[in-house]
């Protein structure tokens, strides 16, 4: 049980997602607590810098559709209604911050791999979300890497 009223759960839709969902569910049991889920789809153009003169819109739509279905399946499994499922296009950290503000979230729940070395230097999504968040951030340790 917790005092959080508006919880935003950030999901990358990998096998680690269940661990993060379980933790988010455990803090959303209180009366009047709403659990939202977000998955951010990164535009394909981000990967190649927009230099290739090709139309990726169909592939992009397919990726978004697949993500929507995956999020919807998770919502069904964990009793999180469609209006609390958000699929957004953009950079994960930016969109997680934007949606957290729009929803007036009081906590963002995110997975953290606790990386070391180069990955730590380059930063992770959890790290980027933590910096600049206007609410609490709960980083749930996922995976087995130490
Ligand atoms: P990463 O730093 O990419 O290993 O991701 C760590 C955590 O950030 C994941 O467990 C999710 O909670 C969150 N995350 C990463 N990518 C996304 C995404 N595209 N949309 C929403 N959340 C994400």
């Amino acid at each position: 049980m917790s005092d959080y009223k508006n919880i935003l759960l950030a999901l990358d839709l990998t096998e680690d997602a269940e661990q993060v969902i379980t933790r988010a569910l455990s803090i959303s049991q209180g009366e009047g607590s709403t659990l939202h889920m977000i998955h951010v789809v990164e535009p394909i153009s981000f990967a190649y810098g927009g230099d290739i003169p090709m139309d990726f819109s169909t592939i992009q739509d397919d990726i978004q559709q697949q993500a929507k279905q995956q999020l919807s399946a998770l919502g069904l499994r964990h009793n999180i209604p469609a209006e609390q499922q958000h699929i957004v296009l953009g950079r994960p950290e930016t969109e997680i911050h934007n949606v957290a503000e729009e929803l007036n979230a009081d906590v963002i729940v995110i997975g953290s791999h606790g990386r070391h070395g180069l990955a730590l230097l380059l930063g992770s999504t959890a790290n980027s979300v933590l910096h600049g968040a206007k609410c609490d951030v709960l980083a749930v340790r996922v995976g087995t890497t130490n």
Side-chain angles (χ1 to χ4, degrees):
M1 193 92 83
S2 75
D3 290 334
Y4 292 120
K5 296 286 175 233
N6 268 326
I7 300 161
L8 181 61
L9 164 60
L11 293 170
D12 58 8
L13 303 178
T14 65
E15 68 274 14
D16 293 331
E18 284 293 338
Q19 279 174 270
V20 192
I21 295 176
T22 304
R23 198 69 189 90
L25 285 169
S26 76
I27 63 162
S28 69
Q29 301 302 320
E31 198 162 313
S33 175
T34 308
L35 178 59
H36 291 264
M37 302 192 291
I38 180 172
H39 175 71
V40 184
V41 177
E42 294 190 61
I44 299 172
S45 59
F46 283 4
Y48 67 89
D51 292 335
I52 303 173
M54 268 179 73
D55 182 9
F56 287 107
S57 53
T58 311
I59 305 172
Q60 189 73 64
D61 286 350
D62 284 352
I63 294 172
Q64 262 172 269
Q65 207 46 47
Q66 262 181 37
K68 203 172 173 193
Q69 281 168 11
Q70 280 178 268
L71 201 65
S72 170
L74 286 172
L76 204 62
R77 196 168 335 137
H78 296 285
N79 244 337
I80 301 166
E83 61 272 22
Q84 287 156 225
Q85 301 169 14
H86 309 271
I87 293 283
V88 186
L89 190 68
R91 289 199 189 280
E93 56 273 24
T94 309
E95 297 311 322
I96 292 167
H97 284 153
N98 287 345
V99 172
E101 280 189 50
E102 276 165 30
L103 295 172
N104 206 13
D106 40 21
V107 64
I108 297 167
V109 182
I110 196 156
S112 169
H113 287 98
R115 292 188 182 99
H116 292 259
L118 195 60
L120 187 64
L121 280 175
L122 292 173
S124 64
T125 308
N127 205 30
S128 309
V129 168
L130 181 61
H131 293 281
K134 295 191 174 140
C135 61
D136 289 358
V137 176
L138 173 61
V140 180
R141 188 67 184 263
V142 292
T144 51
T145 337
N146 280 309

